[in-house]
Amino acid sequence: MAVALKAPELDAACAAAVDVARSIAERRCGVMGVGEHVGVEAEDTRVATHYFAVDHPGYVGWRWAVTVARASRAKAVTVNEVCMVPGEGALLAPAWVPWAERIQAGDVSPGVLMPTPDGDLRLEPGFTGGESARDEDPAEWGQLRAVVNELGLGRERVLSEYGRDEAVERWLDGEGGPHNAMTQQAPGLCVDCAYFVRLSGRLGRSFGVCANEYSPQDASVVSIDHGCGAHSDVVEVTRGVELPRPVWDTVDMATVSLFD
């Protein structure tokens, strides 16, 4: 059972030390100014904080906080701390967020470097042959390198299974996935479209790149069950136009030769 803590009692001498608190605040305020006394609160036994308004127009809602205390059996009140604190309606700077948490998708622009963090779960070590790779037979090593490069493994790091799954979820939830109005109104799906260029590897089972310049997803990754109105199987219907009879026929084939 929780026990409610009793609020400290406001010491009479500390509460009455308004002038003492104001004089200290005026010595610290500089151009900020000290306004009217807006209250006093008990902090602890024989400890209280006086609040004064800040007159500066750039600090609307801020208050001077002057904490005073009285020693046991003493009559004089001394000042412990003076500072400015935000009050109701005070303008505050937004909470600081580390750069690693501020960066969002698409924030990397020309000239911006984004280092790969240590232990990035999206990556795993690739096949490089190890430190003794140069000691192998050149012919055998060359053949092995050709095979691993064909498999996309000749890199320091490769995409991990977690990284692939994360990309799959992001792509499916994005504009190139199946859950959007574009796909719902499309006459066909990307898997049957001639402009669909399938990715290689495991991701190619479900994704490819759109190569239709008129599609909003041109040069973007799309899922096989995505679709748009620019599907290659949508063929334009051509119709012959029947011309009306001329209002005034100026050519008489019986009397005029077109070859004269």
Side-chain angles (χ1 to χ4, degrees):
M1 180 178 179
V3 179
L5 298 178
K6 184 179 180 180
E9 184 177 352
L10 181 61
D11 182 73
C14 291
V18 177
D19 294 338
V20 175
R22 177 181 291 276
S23 64
I24 298 299
E26 290 176 346
R27 289 169 56 182
R28 291 286 303 274
C29 70
V31 298
M32 300 300 177
V34 179
E36 63 179 355
H37 184 257
V38 294
V40 59
E41 295 180 1
E43 303 288 353
D44 205 340
T45 304
R46 297 185 301 279
V47 180
T49 299
H50 290 272
Y51 295 98
F52 301 88
V54 177
D55 286 342
H56 197 281
Y59 287 84
V60 176
W62 283 73
R63 302 180 299 174
W64 285 106
V66 182
T67 302
V68 297
R70 183 177 64 87
S72 177
R73 298 183 181 180
K75 295 182 180 180
V77 174
T78 58
V79 176
N80 285 10
E81 184 180 14
V82 183
C83 62
M84 273 203 317
V85 295
E88 185 177 356
L91 180 62
L92 300 175
W96 184 80
V97 180
W99 179 85
E101 299 178 15
R102 294 199 308 270
I103 193 73
Q104 301 294 324
D107 283 352
V108 178
S109 56
V112 175
L113 298 179
M114 184 177 179
T116 300
D118 292 335
D120 193 331
L121 296 178
R122 299 171 299 173
L123 305 176
E124 61 186 14
F127 177 82
T128 58
E131 298 180 355
S132 60
R134 296 183 179 181
D135 299 333
E136 301 291 336
D137 180 74
E140 295 181 0
W141 174 240
Q143 294 177 356
L144 182 59
R145 288 288 296 178
V147 173
V148 298
N149 285 335
E150 183 69 20
L151 297 175
L153 299 177
R155 293 167 286 172
E156 290 288 341
R157 299 182 180 89
V158 295
L159 200 61
S160 66
E161 185 173 359
Y162 172 82
R164 284 192 297 269
D165 293 343
E166 187 183 51
V168 167
E169 293 180 5
R170 187 172 63 252
W171 293 348
L172 288 176
D173 293 337
E175 293 298 325
H179 312 298
N180 49 63
M182 180 74 74
T183 301
Q184 294 174 3
Q185 301 179 32
L189 299 179
C190 291
V191 67
D192 301 320
C193 183
Y195 300 109
F196 179 74
V197 181
R198 194 180 290 271
L199 297 181
S200 62
R202 292 175 56 184
L203 291 176
R205 301 174 185 175
S206 303
F207 297 97
V209 176
C210 178
N212 189 339
E213 63 177 316
Y214 299 108
S215 171
Q217 300 301 325
D218 179 40
S220 300
V221 174
V222 291
S223 64
I224 60 175
D225 48 358
H226 178 72
C228 75
H231 196 283
S232 61
D233 289 346
V234 179
V235 181
E236 182 180 4
V237 179
T238 58
R239 297 180 180 177
V241 179
E242 183 178 353
L243 299 177
R245 293 180 60 82
V247 177
W248 182 26
D249 192 353
T250 58
V251 178
D252 186 354
M253 297 301 297
T255 58
V256 179
S257 176
L258 297 177
F259 300 100
D260 289 342

